Amino acid sequence: MNSSQRISFPSSPAFWQDWPPHRRRGALYLLLTLTVAGSLAAWFSLYAATQRAVLREEAAMELHQQVSALVAEIRGLERVPNLERANLPILVAARQISRDIGLEDKLISVRPALQATGRDGVQLYYERLTLPDLLALLETLSRDGGLQTSTVTFNRRLDNPSLADLQLVLYR
């Protein structure tokens, strides 16, 4: 291409200027109709999605209420004290509670311990407990075994900080 030749564009790029007026008006109405229809379709789809989300949320809340009622009932049944364990010797009760909640493999040591007040007690040493294990253990010991804690030593593990070692001295 020669440098003296330049490309020129028409001053008005409107290709429809050559159309008759009734056809231009029809094209304008068609464009306006498509714009309104597209806007309405977009609005309707967003509105329908919002309504579906509200219905899903209501269904989830209803299911949650049903399940939470069942969970509360089950937890209430679980929390009934076990009087059989409350009458067992402290050493036997502590071992049986550990076995029942699945911590027998984490129980390293069980020893009788004499309290300063002259009461019989038991010293338990657990390794590699998680927080849920610890909470279940403490709750079950007091609720089912009727055991009270006199000394607690809690150490985080260096190999895994999410686990801990626990030493308990219990009495009744």
Side-chain angles (χ1 to χ4, degrees):
M1 215 181 204
N2 193 352
S3 63
S4 65
Q5 292 177 346
R6 294 200 172 160
I7 299 175
S8 64
F9 293 103
S11 60
S12 68
F15 60 89
W16 58 82
Q17 286 183 345
D18 296 335
W19 292 358
H22 70 279
R23 195 163 179 206
R24 275 192 245 164
R25 194 175 313 119
L28 180 64
Y29 288 146
L30 178 64
L31 179 65
L32 182 63
T33 304
L34 289 175
T35 304
V36 169
S39 298
L40 284 175
W43 178 84
F44 182 73
S45 66
L46 290 174
Y47 178 76
T50 303
Q51 292 303 313
R52 285 191 304 270
V54 167
L55 290 175
R56 279 194 308 265
E57 181 182 354
E58 288 173 356
M61 286 302 293
E62 183 178 322
L63 182 62
H64 171 71
Q65 289 173 349
Q66 291 172 355
V67 170
S68 66
L70 289 173
V71 167
E73 183 180 338
I74 290 170
R75 299 252 339 166
L77 292 174
E78 287 178 353
R79 293 178 190 247
V80 175
N82 189 344
L83 298 177
E84 291 177 11
R85 288 191 202 138
N87 296 328
L88 290 175
I90 297 173
L91 193 63
V92 175
R95 287 188 72 104
Q96 188 173 3
I97 287 171
S98 294
R99 188 178 317 116
D100 289 347
I101 62 174
L103 296 179
E104 187 174 27
D105 59 333
K106 296 180 181 185
L107 180 61
I108 303 304
S109 172
V110 179
R111 288 186 253 166
L114 188 62
Q115 299 292 312
T117 58
R119 296 185 205 166
D120 287 335
V122 65
Q123 180 182 12
L124 305 172
Y125 186 74
Y126 292 92
E127 284 187 343
R128 305 183 64 81
L129 288 178
T130 62
L131 182 61
D133 291 341
L134 175 65
L135 294 174
L137 175 67
L138 293 175
E139 180 183 12
T140 307
L141 285 171
S142 66
R143 182 189 67 224
D144 291 348
L147 300 171
Q148 297 178 356
T149 305
S150 67
T151 305
V152 175
T153 305
F154 183 80
N155 297 317
R156 289 178 70 182
R157 294 190 58 91
L158 296 176
D159 60 338
N160 188 350
S162 65
L163 301 176
D165 296 339
L166 178 71
Q167 180 180 355
L168 290 168
V169 178
L170 305 168
Y171 69 95
R172 208 179 264 148

